[in-house]
Amino acid sequence: MQPARYWRDNKTWKVWVGKRGTVVVSTVVTVSSPEHAAFQPYSYVLVNFGTQQHEFMGSGHETFQEGDKVECALRKITSGDDRSLIGYGIKVKKVT
Amino acid sequence: MTIRIIGSAVTPFGELWNKNLRELLSDAMLEAITNASLSPTDVEAIFVANKAAGNFENQHHLNALVSMMFPHYPPAMRVEAACASGSMAMIAAELALLSGRYKTVVVVGGEKMTDVSAQETTHILSGAADNATEIGSTFPALYALIAKSHMNTFGTTRDQVSAVAVKNHKHAMKNANAQFHKEITIEQVNQSQLIADPLRLLDCSPVSDGAAAVVLSTRFVKGSTKLLGFGHAQDSINLSDRSSLTTFRATEGAMQQALAQTGLTRQQLQAAEVHDCFTIAEILAIEDLGFFPKGEGGRATIENKTTVGGQIVINPSGGLKACGHPVGATGVKQIAFLNSYIQRGDAKAALAHNVGGSGATAVVHILQK
C-alpha cells in the first residue's frame, strides 16, 4: 500500500463506518492478490445502502447470504511484511 | 470505403517459456505480412494491443519496440483497454484507414503472462477493476457475483454453466494453436477447485502467452474477408453502479451499432467468437448479443445449440477458455481466427465480441466473405 494513497483514502472512512445495508449478492474468494492473501478465504459482497450500492470485502471469514443485514466497520484490508504499512479500510460485518 | 483483412496469423497459445513478448509479437506480424503477400516496408502503420507488459516484465513503450522490428520504423501506437485491448487496437486502426491517412496497416496484440506467479498475475489483472471502490476484488470474484445473480434470477444451473467449458474444450481440439487439446466433462468442471463461489478452476480461462496479428487494407484484394463494421460501447467500470448484474449493457450497445452499420441480421451470422473469460461470461454474451433470449443462454448451450449443427457456432477456436487468453492478443486473435474460418469456407459471415474488465468495455466486429 502506498502511504500517500493511504492518507487520501482514510479521509473517506468516516462516511462509511457504522453505515448499514443489505447484501445483494456475495462470493467467497479463495485465490486473491498477494496483499489480501492473509485473509483468504474472505467474502466479497455487493451491498445495497438504499440510495447507492457499494462493493466490500467481508470481515474475517464471515460468509453472507442475499438479504443479510450488514454494517461497515474499520478493519485491516492488506497485509505485508513486518516493516510495511498495515493497511486499514472498510469491510462489512453481519448485524447481529 | 471497405476495409479488408488481407493477412492474419496467430502464434500458439500456452505456457511458452522459450519465447519472450517481442519474439511473440514479431512472429505473429511476420507471418501475417507473409500471409498477405506483402513485404514489411509495405506496412504504413502499426497498432499494438497489450494490457500489462509494464507489470509482467517492466516493458513499456511497446509502440517503439514494435516499430523497431521494421526497416523503415513505421508510425506505431499502443492501445490498452484491459482484455479488450485487441479489439480497441482494431478500432484505432480501422478509424485511421477510414480517415484516409493510411491504406495498409498491421494490428498486433500480445501478452507474456506466465513468467510470474498465479497470485501476482491475479494482482496485475485486478488492475482492470476500479481500484478505489473494488478493493479486495479479483476477476473471478466479480464474475462470481455475476454468475450468482444469473443463477438466482433465471435459474441457470451448475451443469449449464459447465457445459460452456465442455463445449469450448471440444472445439479447441480442432485448433492447432489452442492452449488445451483435452476434452473435459461436466462432472470434471463441477468438481474442480473452487476459486470464487460458484466459479471453479475449469470455469476460468487460463493464464497464457501468445500473440496474433492481422493486416488490414483499403486496397481491393480478391477473395479477402471484409470487415463490415464494428460497435463499441461502455458501462460503469465497477459493478456497484451497474443497472443490472445479469446483462452487459456495453455488449448490447456495441451489437446494435455493429448490426446497424453492416445491415446484416443475427440470422445471417454462422459463427461468433465471444468473450468467455469465465463460463458465465459466454452465457451473458450470447444473450446480450441477441442470439438467445435473456435467461436461455445456459439451456441453449447444454442443448448443443451453440456448436456445429446447432443454431450458431459459438467460439469455434475454443474461445478464451480453451484456446487461451493472452490478454492483449485476444481481441486480435478473434479476428485472425475468424478470417481463417471464413477463408476456408466454414462460415460466410461471423462476429467477434471482446470485453474489457467485468463488462465496462465491449467491442463487436462483423466479418463477411
Side-chain angles (χ1 to χ4, degrees), chain A:
Chain A
M1 177 166 280
Q2 297 154 322
R5 181 184 166 184
Y6 189 53
W7 176 77
R8 286 194 299 270
D9 287 354
N10 69 31
K11 294 176 180 177
T12 66
W13 290 350
K14 64 185 176 190
V15 175
W16 291 105
V17 172
K19 207 167 187 172
R20 292 188 171 190
T22 306
V23 171
V24 176
V25 63
S26 74
T27 185
V28 175
V29 176
T30 57
V31 180
S32 73
S33 298
E35 62 182 355
H36 304 299
F39 307 109
Q40 289 174 198
Y42 62 86
S43 291
Y44 188 75
V45 297
L46 177 64
V47 181
N48 186 338
F49 292 96
T51 55
Q52 66 176 137
Q53 296 190 128
H54 208 283
E55 296 155 63
F56 289 109
M57 295 169 72
S59 181
H61 299 305
E62 262 192 313
T63 57
F64 301 85
Q65 301 294 320
E66 180 184 343
D68 281 348
K69 302 294 180 195
V70 294
E71 181 177 296
C72 295
L74 195 59
R75 293 286 186 272
K76 282 183 190 172
I77 59 166
T78 63
S79 62
D81 60 39
D82 292 344
R83 292 170 181 269
S84 60
L85 203 63
I86 298 172
Y88 278 81
I90 304 297
K91 289 184 177 178
V92 291
K93 60 178 184 176
K94 274 186 194 167
V95 176
T96 52

Side-chain angles (χ1 to χ4, degrees), chain B residues 54-82:
Chain B
N55 301 95
F56 282 117
E57 49 191 325
N58 194 30
Q59 180 63 67
H60 297 272
H61 209 179
L62 287 184
N63 59 318
L65 189 79
V66 166
S67 179
M68 189 180 73
M69 297 172 187
F70 291 74
H72 59 309
Y73 293 88
M77 70 165 70
R78 179 258 181 113
V79 178
E80 189 275 317

Side-chain angles (χ1 to χ4, degrees), chain B residues 281-298:
Chain B
E282 179 169 313
I283 291 174
L284 257 70
I286 61 178
E287 294 172 356
D288 296 338
L289 291 167
F291 295 131
F292 298 95
K294 202 70 212 166
E296 294 292 321

